[in-house]
Amino acid sequence: MNDREQYTPGPASGAQVRKDGEKWTLILVRELRHSPEKVWQALTDPAHLREWAPFEVDGSLGTVGTTVNLTWVGTPTPLETTVTRADAPKVLEYNDIRWELEAFGGGTRLTLWHNIDRRFISWGAAGWHICFDVLDRLLSGTPIGRIVGGEAMKFGGWQRLNAEYAKQFGIETPNWPPQAAQKS
């Protein structure tokens, strides 16, 4: 059995939701055993992002003003994305995402702020939770491969996390697959 087959995500934790008018923000915090510089590279380098993130970019995200095409897994259309803040290795912002990195206990406290449609907050929390696990293992030299998009949603750990985060946030678990798909 390989590391991926043995991987089971831990319980839902380190997440909260903030509402500002119609805007909902998912905030996830994870403590990683790696330096802010190493985590920064994983957040900005296209080759690293392809190993763990739920999107791909066609250029580095490490410089303010850089414009790249960002493509979320499972969506056909790339988003033209401009880096609006890149204060290495502390803060990175682009589109509806903000990353904060803080040196902590010999590693990094990584905080993700992601503006997200309220209907998908528990999905996003579950997905990012798994991405952070994959990132931590990648940086530790024991990669298990990216688990994102539809593949993540079929993964048993994602289903459990989705339900746990929905309960934690006090929201209904979205129906999946959508009702129309269930009837066909």
Side-chain angles (χ1 to χ4, degrees):
M1 193 180 284
N2 66 30
D3 287 343
R4 185 180 186 133
E5 291 168 341
Q6 294 177 340
Y7 165 68
T8 301
S13 65
Q16 60 180 295
V17 176
R18 293 208 180 138
K19 183 179 186 289
D20 182 16
E22 292 302 308
K23 185 171 99 175
W24 291 79
T25 303
L26 172 63
I27 304 160
L28 285 167
V29 179
R30 178 68 66 93
E31 292 172 6
L32 301 170
R33 305 170 288 215
H34 317 284
S35 71
E37 292 77 15
K38 193 170 183 179
V39 175
W40 178 265
Q41 184 177 11
L43 296 176
T44 58
D45 179 81
H48 278 89
L49 288 164
R50 276 191 296 277
E51 297 295 320
W52 71 271
F55 58 81
E56 295 184 8
V57 292
D58 64 358
S60 174
L61 295 170
T63 306
V64 170
T66 298
T67 299
V68 300
N69 288 312
L70 183 148
T71 307
W72 290 91
V73 171
T75 61
T77 309
L79 299 170
E80 189 173 279
T81 300
T82 301
V83 177
T84 53
R85 186 165 178 197
D87 180 11
K90 296 178 181 174
V91 181
L92 178 64
E93 292 181 10
Y94 49 88
N95 289 1
D96 55 4
I97 293 178
R98 173 186 173 96
W99 299 97
E100 295 177 1
L101 297 80
E102 175 187 358
F104 177 79
T108 302
R109 177 178 287 137
L110 178 63
T111 304
L112 167 67
W113 302 71
H114 185 182
N115 297 337
I116 190 167
D117 186 306
R118 181 188 186 286
R119 297 171 296 170
F120 304 111
I121 286 175
S122 62
W123 290 17
W128 280 116
H129 182 119
I130 292 170
C131 285
F132 284 1
D133 286 352
V134 172
L135 169 63
D136 191 41
R137 289 174 182 235
L138 174 69
L139 294 177
S140 295
T142 55
I144 59 173
R146 183 162 78 165
I147 305 170
V148 296
E151 178 189 1
M153 295 171 84
K154 293 174 190 167
F155 182 67
W158 183 91
Q159 299 289 338
R160 177 183 51 79
L161 284 169
N162 181 39
E164 288 175 11
Y165 281 117
K167 184 176 181 182
Q168 180 181 323
F169 300 151
I171 60 173
E172 297 262 334
T173 305
N175 287 330
W176 187 258
Q179 294 299 326
Q182 290 177 2
K183 294 175 185 172
S184 53

